[in-house]
Coordinates of all heavy atoms in Angstrom, one line a residue:
R83 N 0.3 4.5 -6.5 CA -0.5 3.3 -6.7 C -0.1 2.2 -5.6 O -1.0 1.6 -5.1 CB -0.2 2.7 -8.1 CG -1.0 1.5 -8.5 CD -0.9 1.2 -10.0 NE 0.5 1.1 -10.5 CZ 0.9 2.0 -11.4 NH1 0.2 2.9 -11.9 NH2 2.2 1.9 -11.8
N84 N 1.1 2.1 -5.3 CA 1.5 1.0 -4.4 C 1.3 1.4 -2.9 O 1.0 0.6 -2.1 CB 3.0 0.6 -4.7 CG 3.0 -0.3 -5.9 OD1 2.4 -1.4 -5.8 ND2 3.6 0.1 -7.0
L85 N 1.4 2.7 -2.7 CA 1.0 3.2 -1.3 C -0.5 3.0 -1.1 O -1.0 2.6 -0.1 CB 1.3 4.7 -1.1 CG 2.8 5.0 -1.0 CD1 3.0 6.5 -0.9 CD2 3.3 4.3 0.3
L86 N -1.3 3.2 -2.2 CA -2.8 2.9 -2.1 C -3.0 1.4 -1.9 O -3.9 1.0 -1.2 CB -3.5 3.4 -3.3 CG -3.6 4.9 -3.5 CD1 -4.1 5.4 -4.8 CD2 -4.5 5.5 -2.4
R87 N -2.3 0.6 -2.6 CA -2.4 -0.9 -2.4 C -2.1 -1.3 -1.0 O -2.8 -2.1 -0.4 CB -1.5 -1.6 -3.4 CG -2.1 -1.5 -4.8 CD -1.1 -2.1 -5.8 NE -1.7 -2.2 -7.1 CZ -1.1 -2.3 -8.2 NH1 0.3 -2.4 -8.2 NH2 -1.7 -2.4 -9.4
L88 N -1.0 -0.7 -0.4 CA -0.6 -1.0 0.9 C -1.7 -0.6 1.9 O -2.2 -1.4 2.7 CB 0.7 -0.3 1.3 CG 1.3 -0.5 2.6 CD1 2.8 -0.3 2.5 CD2 0.7 0.4 3.7
G89 N -2.2 0.6 1.8 CA -3.2 1.1 2.7 C -4.5 0.4 2.5 O -5.2 0.1 3.5
T90 N -4.9 0.1 1.3 CA -6.2 -0.6 1.0 C -6.1 -2.0 1.6 O -7.1 -2.4 2.2 CB -6.5 -0.6 -0.5 OG1 -6.5 0.7 -1.0 CG2 -7.8 -1.3 -0.8
W91 N -5.0 -2.7 1.5 CA -4.9 -4.0 2.1 C -5.1 -3.9 3.6 O -5.8 -4.7 4.1 CB -3.5 -4.7 1.7 CG -3.4 -6.0 2.4 CD1 -3.9 -7.2 1.9 CD2 -2.8 -6.3 3.6 NE1 -3.6 -8.2 2.8 CE2 -2.9 -7.7 3.9 CE3 -2.1 -5.5 4.6 CZ2 -2.4 -8.3 5.0 CZ3 -1.6 -6.1 5.7 CH2 -1.8 -7.5 5.9
E92 N -4.4 -3.0 4.2 CA -4.6 -2.8 5.6 C -6.0 -2.5 6.0 O -6.5 -3.1 7.0 CB -3.6 -1.7 6.2 CG -2.2 -2.2 6.2 CD -1.3 -1.1 6.8 OE1 -1.4 0.0 6.4 OE2 -0.5 -1.5 7.7
L93 N -6.7 -1.6 5.3 CA -8.1 -1.3 5.6 C -9.0 -2.5 5.4 O -9.9 -2.7 6.2 CB -8.5 -0.1 4.7 CG -8.0 1.2 5.0 CD1 -8.2 2.2 3.8 CD2 -8.5 1.8 6.3
M94 N -8.7 -3.3 4.4 CA -9.5 -4.5 4.1 C -9.3 -5.6 5.1 O -10.2 -6.4 5.5 CB -9.3 -5.0 2.7 CG -9.8 -4.0 1.6 SD -9.3 -4.6 0.0 CE -10.4 -6.0 -0.3
F95 N -8.0 -5.8 5.5 CA -7.7 -7.1 6.2 C -7.1 -6.9 7.6 O -6.8 -7.9 8.3 CB -6.7 -7.9 5.4 CG -7.3 -8.3 4.0 CD1 -6.9 -7.7 2.9 CD2 -8.2 -9.3 4.0 CE1 -7.5 -8.0 1.6 CE2 -8.8 -9.7 2.8 CZ -8.4 -9.1 1.6
K96 N -6.8 -5.7 8.1 CA -6.2 -5.5 9.4 C -7.1 -4.6 10.2 O -6.8 -3.5 10.5 CB -4.8 -4.8 9.2 CG -3.8 -5.7 8.5 CD -3.5 -7.0 9.1 CE -2.7 -6.9 10.3 NZ -2.3 -8.2 10.9
A97 N -8.2 -5.2 10.7 CA -9.2 -4.5 11.5 C -8.6 -4.0 12.8 O -9.1 -3.1 13.5 CB -10.4 -5.4 11.8
D98 N -7.5 -4.7 13.3 CA -6.8 -4.3 14.5 C -6.0 -3.0 14.4 O -5.5 -2.4 15.4 CB -6.0 -5.4 15.1 CG -4.9 -5.9 14.1 OD1 -5.1 -5.9 12.9 OD2 -3.8 -6.2 14.6
V99 N -5.7 -2.6 13.1 CA -5.0 -1.3 12.9 C -6.0 -0.2 12.7 O -6.8 -0.3 11.7 CB -4.0 -1.5 11.7 CG1 -3.3 -0.2 11.5 CG2 -3.1 -2.6 11.9
P100 N -6.0 0.8 13.5 CA -7.0 1.9 13.3 C -6.9 2.6 12.0 O -5.8 2.8 11.4 CB -6.6 2.9 14.5 CG -5.9 2.0 15.5 CD -5.1 1.0 14.7
R101 N -8.0 3.0 11.5 CA -8.2 3.7 10.2 C -7.2 4.9 10.2 O -6.5 5.1 9.2 CB -9.6 4.2 10.0 CG -9.9 5.1 8.9 CD -11.3 5.7 9.0 NE -11.5 6.7 8.0 CZ -12.6 6.9 7.3 NH1 -13.6 6.1 7.5 NH2 -12.7 7.9 6.5
A102 N -7.2 5.7 11.2 CA -6.4 6.9 11.2 C -4.9 6.6 11.1 O -4.2 7.3 10.5 CB -6.7 7.7 12.5
V103 N -4.5 5.5 11.7 CA -3.1 5.1 11.7 C -2.7 4.7 10.3 O -1.7 5.1 9.7 CB -2.8 4.0 12.7 CG1 -1.4 3.4 12.5 CG2 -3.0 4.5 14.1
I104 N -3.6 4.0 9.6 CA -3.3 3.5 8.2 C -3.2 4.7 7.3 O -2.2 4.9 6.5 CB -4.4 2.6 7.8 CG1 -4.4 1.3 8.6 CG2 -4.3 2.3 6.3 CD1 -5.6 0.4 8.4
L105 N -4.1 5.7 7.4 CA -4.1 6.8 6.6 C -2.9 7.7 6.9 O -2.2 8.2 6.0 CB -5.4 7.6 6.7 CG -6.5 7.2 5.7 CD1 -7.0 5.8 6.0 CD2 -7.7 8.2 5.8
D106 N -2.6 7.9 8.2 CA -1.5 8.8 8.5 C -0.2 8.2 8.0 O 0.7 9.0 7.5 CB -1.4 8.9 10.1 CG -2.5 9.8 10.6 OD1 -3.2 10.5 9.9 OD2 -2.6 9.8 11.9
E107 N 0.0 6.9 8.1 CA 1.3 6.3 7.7 C 1.4 6.4 6.2 O 2.5 6.7 5.7 CB 1.4 4.8 8.1 CG 1.5 4.7 9.6 CD 2.8 5.2 10.2 OE1 3.9 5.2 9.5 OE2 2.8 5.8 11.3
A108 N 0.3 6.1 5.5 CA 0.4 6.2 4.0 C 0.7 7.7 3.5 O 1.4 7.9 2.6 CB -1.0 5.7 3.4
V109 N 0.1 8.6 4.2 CA 0.3 10.0 3.9 C 1.8 10.4 4.1 O 2.4 11.1 3.3 CB -0.7 11.0 4.6 CG1 -0.2 12.4 4.5 CG2 -2.1 10.8 4.1
E110 N 2.3 10.0 5.2 CA 3.7 10.3 5.5 C 4.7 9.6 4.5 O 5.6 10.3 4.1 CB 4.1 9.8 6.9 CG 3.5 10.7 8.0 CD 3.8 12.2 7.9 OE1 5.0 12.5 7.7 OE2 2.9 13.0 8.0
L111 N 4.4 8.4 4.1 CA 5.2 7.8 3.0 C 5.0 8.5 1.7 O 6.0 8.7 1.0 CB 4.8 6.3 2.9 CG 5.2 5.4 4.0 CD1 4.5 4.0 3.9 CD2 6.7 5.2 4.0
A112 N 3.8 9.0 1.4 CA 3.6 9.8 0.2 C 4.4 11.1 0.2 O 4.9 11.5 -0.8 CB 2.1 10.0 0.0
K113 N 4.4 11.7 1.4 CA 5.2 12.9 1.5 C 6.7 12.7 1.3 O 7.4 13.5 0.7 CB 5.0 13.6 2.9 CG 3.7 14.2 3.1 CD 3.6 14.8 4.5 CE 2.2 15.4 4.8 NZ 2.0 15.8 6.1
S114 N 7.2 11.5 1.8 CA 8.6 11.2 1.6 C 9.0 10.7 0.3 O 10.1 11.0 -0.2 CB 9.0 10.1 2.7 OG 8.8 10.6 4.0
F115 N 8.1 10.0 -0.4 CA 8.6 9.3 -1.6 C 7.8 9.7 -2.9 O 8.2 9.3 -4.0 CB 8.5 7.8 -1.4 CG 9.4 7.3 -0.3 CD1 8.8 6.9 0.9 CD2 10.7 7.2 -0.5 CE1 9.7 6.5 1.9 CE2 11.6 6.8 0.5 CZ 11.0 6.4 1.7
G116 N 6.7 10.4 -2.7 CA 5.8 10.8 -3.8 C 6.1 12.2 -4.3 O 7.1 12.8 -4.0
T117 N 5.2 12.7 -5.1 CA 5.3 14.0 -5.6 C 4.6 15.0 -4.7 O 4.1 14.6 -3.6 CB 4.5 14.1 -7.0 OG1 3.1 13.9 -6.7 CG2 5.0 13.1 -8.0
E118 N 4.6 16.2 -5.0 CA 4.1 17.3 -4.2 C 2.6 17.0 -3.9 O 2.1 17.4 -2.8 CB 4.2 18.6 -4.9 CG 3.8 19.8 -4.1 CD 4.1 21.1 -4.8 OE1 5.1 21.3 -5.4 OE2 3.1 22.0 -4.8
D119 N 1.9 16.4 -4.9 CA 0.4 16.2 -4.7 C 0.1 14.8 -4.2 O -1.1 14.5 -3.9 CB -0.3 16.4 -6.1 CG -0.1 17.8 -6.6 OD1 -0.1 18.7 -5.8 OD2 0.0 17.9 -7.9
S120 N 1.1 14.0 -4.0 CA 0.8 12.6 -3.6 C 0.1 12.4 -2.3 O -0.8 11.6 -2.1 CB 2.1 11.8 -3.6 OG 2.7 11.6 -4.8
S121 N 0.5 13.2 -1.3 CA 0.0 13.0 0.1 C -1.5 13.3 0.1 O -2.3 12.5 0.7 CB 0.7 13.8 1.1 OG 0.6 15.2 0.8
S122 N -2.0 14.4 -0.6 CA -3.4 14.7 -0.6 C -4.2 13.7 -1.4 O -5.3 13.3 -1.1 CB -3.6 16.1 -1.0 OG -3.2 16.3 -2.3
F123 N -3.6 13.2 -2.5 CA -4.2 12.2 -3.4 C -4.4 10.9 -2.6 O -5.5 10.3 -2.5 CB -3.4 12.0 -4.6 CG -4.0 10.9 -5.6 CD1 -5.1 11.2 -6.2 CD2 -3.3 9.7 -5.7 CE1 -5.6 10.2 -7.1 CE2 -3.8 8.8 -6.6 CZ -5.0 9.0 -7.3
V124 N -3.3 10.4 -2.0 CA -3.4 9.2 -1.3 C -4.4 9.3 -0.1 O -5.2 8.4 0.1 CB -2.0 8.8 -0.8 CG1 -2.0 7.7 0.3 CG2 -1.1 8.3 -2.0
N125 N -4.3 10.4 0.6 CA -5.2 10.6 1.7 C -6.7 10.5 1.3 O -7.5 9.9 1.9 CB -4.9 11.9 2.4 CG -5.8 12.1 3.7 OD1 -5.7 11.3 4.6 ND2 -6.6 13.1 3.6
G126 N -7.0 11.3 0.2 CA -8.4 11.3 -0.3 C -8.9 10.0 -0.8 O -10.0 9.6 -0.4
V127 N -8.1 9.2 -1.5 CA -8.5 7.9 -2.0 C -8.7 6.9 -0.8 O -9.7 6.2 -0.7 CB -7.5 7.4 -3.1 CG1 -7.9 6.0 -3.5 CG2 -7.6 8.3 -4.3
L128 N -7.7 6.9 0.1 CA -7.8 5.9 1.2 C -8.9 6.3 2.1 O -9.6 5.4 2.7 CB -6.5 5.9 2.0 CG -5.3 5.1 1.3 CD1 -4.1 5.2 2.1 CD2 -5.7 3.7 0.9
D129 N -9.2 7.6 2.3 CA -10.3 8.0 3.1 C -11.6 7.5 2.6 O -12.5 7.0 3.3 CB -10.3 9.5 3.3 CG -11.4 10.0 4.3 OD1 -11.4 9.5 5.4 OD2 -12.3 10.8 3.9
R130 N -11.8 7.6 1.3 CA -13.0 7.1 0.6 C -13.1 5.6 0.7 O -14.2 5.1 1.0 CB -13.0 7.6 -0.9 CG -14.2 7.1 -1.6 CD -14.7 8.0 -2.6 NE -16.0 7.5 -3.1 CZ -16.5 7.8 -4.2 NH1 -15.8 8.7 -5.0 NH2 -17.6 7.3 -4.7
I131 N -12.0 4.9 0.5 CA -12.0 3.4 0.6 C -12.4 3.0 2.0 O -13.2 2.1 2.2 CB -10.6 2.8 0.2 CG1 -10.4 3.0 -1.3 CG2 -10.6 1.4 0.6 CD1 -9.0 2.7 -1.8
A132 N -11.8 3.7 3.0 CA -12.1 3.4 4.4 C -13.6 3.6 4.7 O -14.3 2.8 5.3 CB -11.3 4.3 5.3
S133 N -14.2 4.7 4.2 CA -15.6 4.9 4.4 C -16.5 3.9 3.6 O -17.4 3.4 4.2 CB -16.0 6.3 3.8 OG -15.4 7.3 4.6
D134 N -16.0 3.5 2.4 CA -16.8 2.5 1.6 C -16.8 1.2 2.3 O -17.7 0.4 2.2 CB -16.2 2.4 0.2 CG -16.4 3.6 -0.7 OD1 -17.3 4.4 -0.3 OD2 -15.8 3.6 -1.8
L135 N -15.7 0.9 3.1 CA -15.5 -0.4 3.8 C -16.2 -0.3 5.2 O -16.2 -1.3 5.9 CB -14.1 -0.7 4.0 CG -13.3 -1.2 2.7 CD1 -11.8 -1.2 3.0 CD2 -13.9 -2.5 2.2
G136 N -16.7 0.9 5.5 CA -17.3 1.0 6.9 C -16.3 1.1 8.0 O -16.7 0.9 9.2
R137 N -15.1 1.5 7.7 CA -14.0 1.6 8.7 C -14.2 3.0 9.3 O -13.6 4.0 8.8 CB -12.6 1.5 8.1 CG -12.3 0.1 7.6 CD -12.0 -0.9 8.8 NE -11.0 -0.4 9.7 CZ -9.7 -0.8 9.7 NH1 -9.3 -1.6 8.8 NH2 -8.9 -0.3 10.6
T138 N -14.9 3.1 10.4 CA -15.1 4.4 11.1 C -14.4 4.4 12.4 O -14.5 5.4 13.2 CB -16.6 4.6 11.4 OG1 -17.1 3.5 12.1 CG2 -17.4 4.7 10.1
D139 N -13.5 3.4 12.6 CA -12.8 3.4 13.9 C -11.9 4.6 14.0 O -11.5 5.2 13.0 CB -12.0 2.1 14.0 CG -11.2 1.8 12.7 OD1 -11.7 1.9 11.6 OD2 -10.0 1.4 12.9

Side-chain angles (χ1 to χ4, degrees):
R83 183 171 49 245
N84 284 293
L85 288 174
L86 290 170
R87 286 172 172 162
L88 182 154
T90 301
W91 178 82
E92 286 183 308
L93 288 167
M94 291 173 71
F95 298 103
K96 297 300 284 184
D98 60 319
V99 180
R101 169 189 174 142
V103 171
I104 294 168
L105 272 64
D106 289 347
E107 291 296 325
V109 167
E110 289 305 313
L111 288 168
K113 286 178 183 177
S114 296
F115 299 105
T117 66
E118 185 177 315
D119 299 324
S120 291
S121 60
S122 60
F123 177 70
V124 167
N125 184 62
V127 174
L128 287 179
D129 186 58
R130 178 144 187 206
I131 291 169
S133 294
D134 290 348
L135 290 169
R137 290 289 305 263
T138 58
D139 49 312

